[in-house]
Amino acid sequence: MDLMEKVVSLAKRRGFIYPGSEIYGGLAGFWDYGPLGVELKNNIKRLWWKSIVYDRDDVVGLDAAIIMNPKVWQISGHTSSFSDPLVECKVCHKRFRADDEEVIKKHQEEHKEKVDWTVSKNFNLLTEVYLGTTEPKQKAYLRGEITQGVFVNFKNVIDSTRVKIPFGIAQIGKAFRNEITPGNFTFRSKEFEQMELEYFIEPDEKKSEEVFEYWKRERLKWYVSLGINKQKLRFREHEPEKRAHYARLAEDIEYDGPFGWSEFEGIHHRGDYDLGNHKLTYKNDEGRQFTPWVIETSGGVDRATLFFLIDSYSEEKGRVILKLNPKLAPYKVAVFPLLANKQNLVEKAKMVFDKLRLSFHSTWDDRGNIGKRYFSQDEIGTPWCVTVDFETLEKDSVTVRDRDTTKQERVSIDKLTEFIQTKL
Ligand code: GAP
């Protein structure tokens, strides 16, 4: 099995990610997050929110509706320009992105007879929905990017808070794209989550480039601070003709994954494109009215989840270990009684478990032998395993085993919470 197959298999087997509506044969481009996946994803979102909103004085949060007045998407340019080039194979009628050279080449190789392609046509990525109870129903769209919800609330935020330019509005939420070729596990899905910052600044060419560079550095630093191997990250600038319709400048943070260098997060200079189109302006303290410019950081929560899983996957002496940063790990601690059939050990271990779960998301395991329990926790990235043994009954101390070093330390129960807190 290659790395990708191993990660996909682990994700399903241990409850990180399942194929969407699997019992009915699944639905291409849709995925469900299991008990451990939802924890990993929530940890990513919480840490992103902390670094972008709580740790800063110049950013506020927002949670806008997924469905908006369809005019939003006309004004934003998405109904006309949010598209990918599509070609159809006239032999088997499969459709592909015309700009995906690798997939096109592979399809040509798979066909015995010569492939006959249709002319490339632009295919709009917005997902249509129909609202109302009587005909004709009102056509609307599931949002293709979460961003427009920020722009349409720009005035509300200015009027209801004390923000002053430069400032940012952060948001996390679902977006939907009718992708022509969903694939590479969750990498390209039709339903996915974004974590975005729209940072509003005065219109000034030089300053805007400085802010753009600043956010590039900040975002790269964030991924590295959470353990992503720096050697596997790089920036890639979009050539002018390949930029999204709203972008004056665009650079991706890319990750060197099992399917090659792939987009992790986009940093965009949107200039006054959006606020200008929505006819929204800002008045500064001197009474000068202008259309602010926007620098955007747009990350994918599902891509972050996938790349954190891939990057942390390791195998050592027959053990599979997810070397996730402890802050991201679904469980911080696992508690075991040494023997499941010794009542006094089980009771004491339950007491330790109840104490730890007040502070950390913890799990309990009393199946099989201790070695198997360690193995099972390593595979899901639990950084510390606490074992209650016979010495615990005498000395009120437990062993704490570290996932990465496998070293064990004896820690007294009254210092246990502090011990783990300090490591976290
Ligand atoms: N508001 C700007 C925007 O949406 P984008 O480059 O189209 O920009 C930003 O998307 C991020 O959203 C990407 O870097 C990626 O992490 C995530 N993303 C985009 N399309 C995706 C898809 N089909 N499946 C999963 N994640 C996706």
Side-chain angles (χ1 to χ4, degrees):
M1 272 207 276
D2 66 18
L3 174 61
M4 192 64 184
E5 285 167 340
K6 286 176 182 171
V7 169
V8 173
S9 150
L10 177 99
K12 167 100 194 290
R13 186 163 40 81
R14 298 305 308 267
F16 283 92
I17 305 171
Y18 312 124
S21 35
E22 193 183 13
I23 62 165
Y24 292 104
L27 186 63
F30 295 89
W31 298 91
D32 296 334
Y33 286 80
L36 298 191
V38 69
E39 296 300 335
L40 173 56
K41 214 171 160 206
N42 281 344
N43 290 340
I44 292 170
K45 291 191 274 185
R46 229 185 334 260
L47 290 164
W48 183 87
W49 196 264
K50 181 175 179 313
S51 85
I52 297 289
V53 183
Y54 295 165
D55 293 350
R56 303 184 63 99
D57 295 326
D58 56 352
V59 178
V60 292
L62 183 87
D63 183 16
I66 287 176
I67 299 179
M68 290 185 273
N69 188 313
K71 272 191 204 150
V72 172
W73 301 107
Q74 282 152 22
I75 300 294
S76 71
H78 281 77
T79 49
S80 54
S81 308
F82 191 51
S83 53
D84 279 336
L86 174 145
V87 284
E88 188 174 313
C89 167
K90 287 190 197 165
V91 182
C92 65
H93 301 290
K94 281 195 183 146
R95 293 172 158 198
F96 302 92
R97 271 177 69 155
D99 57 354
D100 195 338
E101 287 164 21
E102 225 170 277
V103 172
I104 296 280
K105 196 167 145 229
K106 194 162 160 251
H107 187 71
Q108 284 174 178
E109 283 163 4
E110 275 166 14
H111 265 291
K112 289 197 184 67
E113 63 264 68
K114 199 174 171 303
V115 181
D116 191 7
W117 295 109
T118 59
V119 177
S120 161
K121 269 198 252 158
N122 277 340
F123 176 81
N124 193 278
L125 299 178
L126 286 176
T127 311
E128 293 172 6
V129 286
Y130 291 86
L131 308 173
T133 47
T134 50
E135 298 294 343
K137 292 192 175 168
Q138 187 194 357
K139 182 166 123 181
Y141 303 97
L142 297 178
R143 60 186 176 190
E145 59 167 2
I146 63 171
T147 334
Q148 295 303 320
V150 168
F151 298 134
V152 300
N153 280 292
F154 179 74
K155 191 170 178 309
N156 283 335
V157 173
I158 300 270
D159 292 346
S160 58
T161 70
R162 288 180 295 145
V163 290
K164 283 192 181 153
I165 272 182
F167 77 93
I169 302 180
Q171 186 176 211
I172 299 177
K174 293 265 187 174
F176 302 81
R177 292 183 191 173
N178 211 352
E179 297 283 358
I180 299 165
T181 43
N184 284 331
F185 198 23
T186 56
F187 179 80
R188 181 162 289 114
S189 309
K190 293 189 177 185
E191 173 179 339
F192 55 95
E193 222 167 343
Q194 294 184 309
M195 40 191 186
E196 289 195 339
L197 168 70
E198 306 305 318
Y199 198 77
F200 301 95
I201 53 174
E202 294 217 12
D204 179 311
E205 204 63 63
K206 187 158 176 290
K207 267 206 195 126
S208 70
E209 280 167 24
E210 283 165 16
V211 176
F212 185 78
E213 289 301 319
Y214 167 81
W215 280 111
K216 271 174 55 189
R217 284 195 303 275
E218 284 297 298
R219 294 304 304 136
L220 189 82
K221 220 162 63 185
W222 187 77
Y223 288 113
V224 174
S225 77
L226 288 174
I228 291 274
N229 179 354
K230 205 175 171 190
Q231 310 305 320
K232 296 207 162 205
L233 293 175
R234 74 172 185 196
F235 287 111
R236 190 181 66 82
E237 199 178 337
H238 287 219
E239 305 89 66
E241 64 280 5
K242 293 226 169 126
R243 284 179 203 147
H245 61 279
Y246 48 72
R248 292 163 68 118
L249 282 178
E251 282 196 43
D252 289 341
I253 298 177
E254 290 191 330
Y255 180 76
D256 186 12
F259 40 90
W261 286 99
S262 321
E263 178 184 345
F264 206 148
E265 167 155 345
I267 322 291
H268 308 130
H269 185 326
R270 298 178 75 124
D272 63 0
Y273 178 85
D274 303 274
L275 292 185
N277 279 352
H278 292 300
K279 304 211 172 353
L280 292 162
T281 56
Y282 175 85
K283 197 192 262 183
N284 69 9
D285 287 345
E286 291 78 49
R288 189 167 68 86
Q289 191 118 11
F290 59 89
T291 306
W293 286 5
V294 178
I295 304 297
E296 163 184 82
T297 72
S298 178
V301 180
D302 308 78
R303 285 195 190 171
T305 307
L306 176 61
F307 290 145
F308 277 121
L309 282 174
I310 290 172
D311 201 65
S312 66
Y313 184 96
S314 54
E315 290 174 3
E316 280 171 23
K317 297 183 196 140
R319 283 196 303 151
V320 171
I321 319 167
L322 277 191
K323 292 193 169 177
L324 286 169
N325 181 306
K327 288 185 186 147
L328 292 173
Y331 296 122
K332 310 302 176 217
V333 199
V335 179
F336 316 145
L338 181 66
L339 299 170
N341 57 0
K342 292 279 178 233
Q343 192 60 24
N344 48 357
L345 284 184
V346 174
E347 276 171 17
K348 189 75 179 174
K350 279 268 183 242
M351 190 213 85
V352 171
F353 180 51
D354 285 341
K355 185 178 156 85
L356 285 174
R357 69 201 301 191
L358 292 175
S359 307
F360 316 104
H361 189 33
S362 311
T363 184
W364 169 269
D365 195 358
D366 57 9
R367 300 160 308 161
N369 62 40
I370 290 286
K372 279 198 183 136
R373 296 182 209 163
Y374 285 154
F375 192 91
S376 165
Q377 294 302 322
D378 287 344
E379 211 183 35
I380 58 170
T382 309
W384 300 288
C385 292
V386 167
T387 303
V388 169
D389 54 19
F390 291 107
E391 208 178 315
T392 312
L393 302 178
E394 287 167 24
K395 299 194 176 151
D396 234 27
S397 64
V398 291
T399 62
V400 180
R401 185 255 197 189
D402 183 283
R403 176 195 69 198
D404 300 336
T405 63
T406 72
K407 292 231 164 63
Q408 298 187 18
E409 273 183 77
R410 205 111 207 137
V411 180
S412 85
I413 291 176
D414 60 351
K415 300 248 165 59
L416 194 54
T417 302
E418 193 190 329
F419 177 86
I420 290 166
Q421 199 80 61
T422 309
K423 285 184 180 276
L424 260 178

